[in-house]
């Protein structure tokens, strides 16, 4: 017989266990005595083991059961405690101490009625039972009854603790602390007194003392977690954020499922303004539950800081459905609505709570919103309340002044601004407003007095001199204005408003070198406004490649700037880089959240790519956003223009009407938009009325001139349109030159179109539209080599027009690159009938007739009146052996009038007829 080493080891272990068990002759009473000794030496875990051993030898040993229950209660295991204490009582322990310990363990589990029912009808209560009943009443919220029962039982630690709790409830923190300390004198390890003492210390802002108390409480295993959470909170109260973060990180590492720890970690990181990390910490809570209200509220604040307004809004709305009276949640949601321009929603959120609030911010935000929705009297009352609650807040007085000005109370507004100037410390908005009020009234002396006061108060600041420059500009004193702006820049060389003003004056005077140099210097030093400002300057000077490089620099320097990404996207779109443009605008949306600028840019990109369905989806988002912008006439006009580009004429008309309703009179941009709308709707006389209204206002701008030219074309008055666009081109209008070239192409004046395009391309070499038009003229003049060279110079690109035209030239020359480029064009703008025609025809030429037919049939269904497309379809049918369909398509092509391949179409049709 054999056996393994493993079996040998197992046998030895079993023998040892049997031997040890046989040698343990300790009685239950001896185990109990050892447990009592361990408890006296503050070793509850060792006591716990001895008591379990005693009960294992005698399950009916009441004293061991009772002490085990009390030990469990010390460790805050109230369910286990009540179970053991109940068994101790069943086994004969009828002592007051055991009965009270049993009732207290049940009370800690929320069984208030059971405890009160067991005691309240008895007239022979022992002092500990009397305190126990008082504690039950206290848990039920009956403080008066609790006080009556406990008041004369201060010789018991439980009575002292209860009086500490009552004092805490009555907001007497100092008395609560004194009672808690007295209870701890009777029992220094009294865990409930330690925890209450720490909470009171937090209320008293005694953060370091609270940390110490929580650390003592941690020695009790049952209180370890709650004490460690308390330490984090204490560090937060003491604003020791690094210590709070260290404690929170340690706890979350050890207790990954403890949601309260992750919440507190998120709170610490929020206080440290580490938004992304705070979001990650709170995500750990939301992965487990979306119903934790503190996390819901805090995560909303984090999302707000990250610019994720929709996500913040969702959480705040859910939070307020549970706690609708929470002021901070309402204020934050109102701030989001305010940013979205939904001022009526701001009013709806704040008006219900305003009368119960002494928070000046609530009143100020409400007043500003009421002002936006034209409830001037209510706005003034709310802002007056804000000023009365915070008389030293100049910003509130400025808002009140604005409300009074709107209501026509000029004297009241001036008085508020003068008061605001007195309380402002290091600010200047009130001075600006008061100076502008006086300047607009023609009181230049009064305006300059305000400026002098500002400069005297802030002699080292550029703002006073900048205001002086603005006042002089308003009075058309340009030399004095330039002197003031230069002085502002001596105070701060990176003060962008002064540099921008010098640039404006320089451009007006025909010499922008100084302003340009100032902005370039600021840009080199990393001033964001200057970097972005240079983009606009380069665009206005038709330096598109330089502007594009400037925009790329902007997003490298300021990767979280939504305006920088939007500017880059628009330039990429203008340069035909449609895929990069789409990517850039997606980044703008990510870093800046949904807004009108980014959405409108998305619409333009989608239209350039031929993706009308995408543009429509974005327009739907814009229409939702518009609900909060209906009091902003400029926003309504921009949305109307987007719908006009989509040919949604009735919707465009509605938004234009909303814009007019929201303003005292329609702006020039609105009149231009309405004229375009009537032009698109073939209402030529109404379009002319809007143009005449613009001219009557003296708004003879480039845009008005272009519109008049378009109206001439719509009326088939080509000579007048030619004269209009020529005049604009002679004045330096790039768009006027573009329209002139387009008109010449339309009239088949190809040589003149080429000459005009070449002339303007000398000054605007980067203008992609003029380059395209020049190439079109070259094609019609038969100079395919020059046209190809022009298109190839624009590569690489994702502009479908450039790609399609280059593919067509390659096809004409028999260049095998034709198919690849046509496929790129189709990818950039799928379902575009012109591109489908080019791609389908190339495929047919290469013998891939069935593939080509699919594209040609789609193109022909969209362009049934294009002879060339119908001819291509007919040839494809012929090569596919579908002769009857080929004959029908060719007959249709010839019936549509002249096209380049007309002779070939007649020849093929005759051949088909002979065959039939």
């Amino acid at each position: 017989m054999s056996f393994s080493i493993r079996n040998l080891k197992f046998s030895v272990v079993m023998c040892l266990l049997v031997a040890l068990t046989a040698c343990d002759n300790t009685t239950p009473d001896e185990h109990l005595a050892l447990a009592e000794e361990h408890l006296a030496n503050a070793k509850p875990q060792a006591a716990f083991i001895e008591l379990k051993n005693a009960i294992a030898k005698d399950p009916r040993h009441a004293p061991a059961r009772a002490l085990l229950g009390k030990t469990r209660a010390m460790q805050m295991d109230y369910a286990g405690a009540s179970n053991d204490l109940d068994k101790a009582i069943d086994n004969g322990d009828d002592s007051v101490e055991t009965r009270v310990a049993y009732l207290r363990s049940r009370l800690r589990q929320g069984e208030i009625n059971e405890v009160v029912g067991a005691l309240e009808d008895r007239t022979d209560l022992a002092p500990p039972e009397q305190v126990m009943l008082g504690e039950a009443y206290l848990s039920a919220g009956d403080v008066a009854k609790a006080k009556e029962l406990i008041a004369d039982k201060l010789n018991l630690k439980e009575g002292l603790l209860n009086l500490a709790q009552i004092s805490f409830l009555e907001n007497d923190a100092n008395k609560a602390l004194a009672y808690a300390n007295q209870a701890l004198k009777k029992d220094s390890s009294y865990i409930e007194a330690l925890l209450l003492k720490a909470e009171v210390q937090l209320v008293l802002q005694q953060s370091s003392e609270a940390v110490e108390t929580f650390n003592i409480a941690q020695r009790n295993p049952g209180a370890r977690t709650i004490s460690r959470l308390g330490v984090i909170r204490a560090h937060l109260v003491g604003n020791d954020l690094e210590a709070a973060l260290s404690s929170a990180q340690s706890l979350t590492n050890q207790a990954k499922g403890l949601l309260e720890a992750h919440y507190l970690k998120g709170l610490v990181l929020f206080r440290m303004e580490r938004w992304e990390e705070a979001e990650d910490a709170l995500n750990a809570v939301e992965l487990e539950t979306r119903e934790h209200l503190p996390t819901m509220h805090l995560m909303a604040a984090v999302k707000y800081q990250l610019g994720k307004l929709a996500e913040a809004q969702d959480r705040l709305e859910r939070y307020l459905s549970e706690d609708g009276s929470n002021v901070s949640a309402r204020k934050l949601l109102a701030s989001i609505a305010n940013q979205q321009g939904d001022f009526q929603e701001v009013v709806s959120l704040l008006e219900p709570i305003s009368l119960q609030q002494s928070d000046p911010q609530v009143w100020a935000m409400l007043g500003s919103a009421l002002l936006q929705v034209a409830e001037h009297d209510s706005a003034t009352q709310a802002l007056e309340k804000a000023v009365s609650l915070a008389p030293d807040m100049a910003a509130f007085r400025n808002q009140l002044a604005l409300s009074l000005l709107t209501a026509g109370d000029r004297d009241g507004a001036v008085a508020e601004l003068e008061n605001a100037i007195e309380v402002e410390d290091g600010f200047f908005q009130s001075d600006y407003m008061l100076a502008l009020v006086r300047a607009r009234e023609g009181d230049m002396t009064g305006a300059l007095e305000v400026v002098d006061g500002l400069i005297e108060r802030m002699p080292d600041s550029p703002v006073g001199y900048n205001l002086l420059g603005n006042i002089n500009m308003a009075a058309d004193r340009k030399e004095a204005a330039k002197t003031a702006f230069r002085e502002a820049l001596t105070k701060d060389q990176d003060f962008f408003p002064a540099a921008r003003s010098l640039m404006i004056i320089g451009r007006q005077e025909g010499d922008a070198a100084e302003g340009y140099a100032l902005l370039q210097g600021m840009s080199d030093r990393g001033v964001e406004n200057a970097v972005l400002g240079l983009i606009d300057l380069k665009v206005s000077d038709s330096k598109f490649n330089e502007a594009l490089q400037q925009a790329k620099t902007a997003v490298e320097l300021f990767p979280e700037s939504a305006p920088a990404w939007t500017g880059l996207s628009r330039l990429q779109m203008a340069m035909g880089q449609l895929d990069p443009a789409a990517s850039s605008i997606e980044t703008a949306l990510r870093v800046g959240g949904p807004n009108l600028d980014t959405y409108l840019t998305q619409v333009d990109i989608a239209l350039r790519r031929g993706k009308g369905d995408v543009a429509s989806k974005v327009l739907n988002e814009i229409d939702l956003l518009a609900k909060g912008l209906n009091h902003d006439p400029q926003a309504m006009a921009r949305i109307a223009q987007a719908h006009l580009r989509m040919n949604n004429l009735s919707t465009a008309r509605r938004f234009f009407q909303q814009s007019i309703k929201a303003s005292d009179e329609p702006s020039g941009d609105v009149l231009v938009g309405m004229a375009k709308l009537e032009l698109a709707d073939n209402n030529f006389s109404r379009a002319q009325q809007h143009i005449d209204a613009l001219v009557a206002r003296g708004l003879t701008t480039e845009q008005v001139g272009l519109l008049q030219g378009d109206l001439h074309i719509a009326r088939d008055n080509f000579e007048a349109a030619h004269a209009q666009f020529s005049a604009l081109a002679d004045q330096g209008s790039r768009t006027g030159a573009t329209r002139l070239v387009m008109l010449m192409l339309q009239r088949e004046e190809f040589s003149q179109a080429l000459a005009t395009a070449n002339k303007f391309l000398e000054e605007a070499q980067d203008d992609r539209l003029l380059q395209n038009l020049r190439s079109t003229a070259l094609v019609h003049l038969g100079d395919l080599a020059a046209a190809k060279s022009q298109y190839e110079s624009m590569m690489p690109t994702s502009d479908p027009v450039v790609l399609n035209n280059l593919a067509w030239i390659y096809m004409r020359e028999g260049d095998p690159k034709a198919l690849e480029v046509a496929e790129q064009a189709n990818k950039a703008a799928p379902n575009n009938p012109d591109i489908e025609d080019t791609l389908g025809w190339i495929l047919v030429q290469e013998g891939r007739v069935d593939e080509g037919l699919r594209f040609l049939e789609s193109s022909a269904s969209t362009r049934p009146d294009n002879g060339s497309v119908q001819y291509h379809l007919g040839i494809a049918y012929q090569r596919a052996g579908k002769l009857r369909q080929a004959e029908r398509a060719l007959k249709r092509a010839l019936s549509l009038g002249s096209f380049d391949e007309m002779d070939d179409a007649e020849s093929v049709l005759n051949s088909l007829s002979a065959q039939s």
Side-chain angles (χ1 to χ4, degrees), residues 470-635:
N470 287 329
I471 296 296
N472 281 313
M473 275 187 75
D476 201 28
R477 297 200 290 249
K478 291 183 179 177
E479 289 303 316
K482 287 193 286 187
T483 300
F485 290 133
R486 288 168 185 152
E487 185 64 28
L489 289 166
T490 66
K491 305 298 180 183
D492 180 355
Q493 65 174 344
D494 291 334
F495 190 71
F496 174 74
R500 180 183 57 196
S501 296
L502 284 170
M503 170 62 78
I504 292 170
I505 294 173
R507 291 176 79 88
Q508 290 173 350
E509 295 178 343
D511 183 9
E514 178 187 12
Y516 193 91
L518 288 167
L519 290 183
Q520 187 63 59
M522 289 184 189
S523 176
D524 293 341
R525 292 189 293 274
V527 178
E528 182 175 356
N529 284 334
V531 174
L532 297 177
L534 278 177
I535 298 172
D536 294 335
L537 282 174
K538 293 177 187 297
V539 168
S540 64
D541 291 338
S542 298
K543 298 177 179 178
F544 297 108
N545 282 325
E546 291 183 28
L548 182 61
Q549 292 306 312
Q550 183 75 18
K552 289 178 178 177
T553 299
V555 298
E556 288 173 4
L557 291 172
F558 313 106
E560 298 301 314
S561 170
W565 282 105
T566 302
L568 175 60
S569 177
R570 297 202 71 84
L571 273 165
Q572 288 167 325
M573 176 174 59
M575 300 293 283
Q577 300 173 13
L578 301 184
D579 290 339
S583 176
S584 294
I585 205 62
E586 286 294 336
T587 304
L589 276 168
R590 179 178 58 78
V591 300
N595 66 74
L596 192 56
D597 281 339
T598 48
Y599 275 153
L600 290 173
T601 304
Q602 273 194 312
V603 170
D604 290 340
I605 293 169
L607 289 175
R608 284 286 301 276
R609 298 170 90 182
K611 296 184 176 182
D613 56 335
V614 174
S616 294
K617 288 179 182 177
V618 179
L619 269 177
N620 289 337
E621 295 295 326
I622 291 175
D623 290 349
L624 292 174
L625 193 66
K627 294 178 180 178
L629 301 171
N630 57 359
H631 298 288
D632 183 341
Q634 186 179 11

Side-chain angles (χ1 to χ4, degrees), residues 302-321:
V302 170
K303 297 286 189 183
Y304 178 83
Q305 292 294 339
L306 290 170
K308 300 177 180 179
L309 300 188
E311 295 179 56
Q313 184 176 353
D314 171 67
R315 284 166 177 81
L316 288 168
E317 288 172 349
R318 286 193 288 116
Y319 181 90
L320 287 170
S321 70

Side-chain angles (χ1 to χ4, degrees), residues 775-793:
S775 298
T776 301
L778 287 167
V779 169
H780 283 289
L781 290 169
D783 193 348
L784 295 187
K788 180 175 74 171
S789 176
Q790 176 74 78
Y791 283 129
E792 287 179 336
S793 72

Side-chain angles (χ1 to χ4, degrees), residues 290-302:
R290 298 182 75 238
E291 307 306 320
H292 187 243
L293 289 179
T295 296
M296 200 182 295
H297 191 184
L298 180 58
M299 183 66 104
V302 170

Side-chain angles (χ1 to χ4, degrees), residues 371-493:
L371 188 60
Q372 291 290 339
V373 298
E375 295 186 25
H376 302 301
D377 291 342
S378 298
T380 299
Q381 291 171 13
L383 290 165
E384 285 173 343
K385 181 69 174 179
V387 169
S388 70
L389 290 169
D392 293 336
M393 281 292 292
F396 296 165
R397 290 186 180 274
N398 291 341
Q399 283 290 313
L400 177 56
L402 183 61
S403 180
L404 292 168
L405 282 172
T406 305
D409 186 355
R410 180 264 182 198
D411 293 340
V414 168
E416 287 300 333
L417 290 171
E418 290 172 342
N419 288 333
I421 290 171
E422 290 182 12
V423 300
E424 274 185 327
D425 183 16
F427 296 95
F428 51 86
Q429 286 83 0
S430 308
D431 305 80
Y432 260 74
M433 288 179 66
L434 182 56
L436 292 174
V437 167
R438 288 179 171 169
R440 286 170 184 165
E441 294 173 342
D443 181 8
M444 299 304 296
T445 302
L448 292 172
E449 285 178 0
V450 175
V451 176
D452 290 342
L454 178 57
I455 292 174
E456 182 179 350
R457 195 169 80 249
M458 302 171 63
D460 297 325
S461 170
V463 295
Y465 294 100
N466 190 64
L467 178 56
L468 178 60
N470 287 329
I471 296 296
N472 281 313
M473 275 187 75
D476 201 28
R477 297 200 290 249
K478 291 183 179 177
E479 289 303 316
K482 287 193 286 187
T483 300
F485 290 133
R486 288 168 185 152
E487 185 64 28
L489 289 166
T490 66
K491 305 298 180 183
D492 180 355
Q493 65 174 344

Side-chain angles (χ1 to χ4, degrees), residues 177-425:
L177 184 59
Y179 280 129
N181 281 328
Q182 289 179 50
L184 288 166
K185 282 182 180 179
K186 293 182 176 294
D187 179 359
S188 61
S189 63
Y190 189 8
I191 186 60
E192 291 167 312
L194 282 167
L195 293 175
L196 179 61
K197 177 181 178 179
E199 293 297 334
V200 175
Q201 287 170 326
L202 288 181
V203 170
L204 292 171
Q205 300 290 307
Q206 298 174 0
S207 55
S208 58
E209 292 88 344
V211 170
E212 183 180 350
T213 305
F214 278 125
N215 282 332
I216 294 170
Q218 280 190 57
R219 297 170 190 167
N220 185 309
R224 189 162 293 144
T225 298
I226 193 170
S227 299
R228 293 183 71 182
L229 291 169
V231 168
I232 302 169
R233 292 166 49 229
H235 285 314
L236 275 168
V237 169
N239 205 35
D240 189 350
L241 300 182
E242 291 296 341
L245 182 58
S246 177
S247 298
Q249 188 66 60
S250 174
L251 185 53
T252 52
N253 286 343
Q254 294 174 21
K256 298 188 186 310
L258 186 60
L259 301 186
E260 292 83 354
H262 289 286
Y263 165 76
L264 285 174
K265 181 181 176 183
L267 180 57
V268 174
L269 290 164
F270 177 82
R271 290 268 300 273
M272 298 174 85
E273 299 186 2
R274 291 159 61 172
W275 317 121
E276 290 86 357
E277 294 172 78
E279 183 181 34
D280 289 341
L282 296 174
N283 276 334
V285 182
E286 290 196 339
L287 284 172
E288 295 297 323
T289 175
R290 298 182 75 238
E291 307 306 320
H292 187 243
L293 289 179
T295 296
M296 200 182 295
H297 191 184
L298 180 58
M299 183 66 104
V302 170
K303 297 286 189 183
Y304 178 83
Q305 292 294 339
L306 290 170
K308 300 177 180 179
L309 300 188
E311 295 179 56
Q313 184 176 353
D314 171 67
R315 284 166 177 81
L316 288 168
E317 288 172 349
R318 286 193 288 116
Y319 181 90
L320 287 170
S321 70
E322 299 291 334
D323 182 9
S325 63
N326 187 287
V327 176
S328 65
R330 279 183 174 269
K331 283 171 63 178
L332 186 56
L333 189 55
S335 295
I336 293 172
N338 192 62
Q339 285 189 39
Q340 295 172 337
D342 192 349
F343 303 111
Q344 193 60 59
E345 178 66 9
V346 176
V347 173
S348 299
L349 284 163
L350 298 182
E351 208 165 39
I353 63 169
S354 60
L355 293 176
Q356 291 79 40
Q357 292 301 310
S358 57
D359 182 346
Q361 284 188 330
V362 170
W363 287 103
M365 197 183 305
L366 175 60
S368 298
L370 288 165
L371 188 60
Q372 291 290 339
V373 298
E375 295 186 25
H376 302 301
D377 291 342
S378 298
T380 299
Q381 291 171 13
L383 290 165
E384 285 173 343
K385 181 69 174 179
V387 169
S388 70
L389 290 169
D392 293 336
M393 281 292 292
F396 296 165
R397 290 186 180 274
N398 291 341
Q399 283 290 313
L400 177 56
L402 183 61
S403 180
L404 292 168
L405 282 172
T406 305
D409 186 355
R410 180 264 182 198
D411 293 340
V414 168
E416 287 300 333
L417 290 171
E418 290 172 342
N419 288 333
I421 290 171
E422 290 182 12
V423 300
E424 274 185 327
D425 183 16

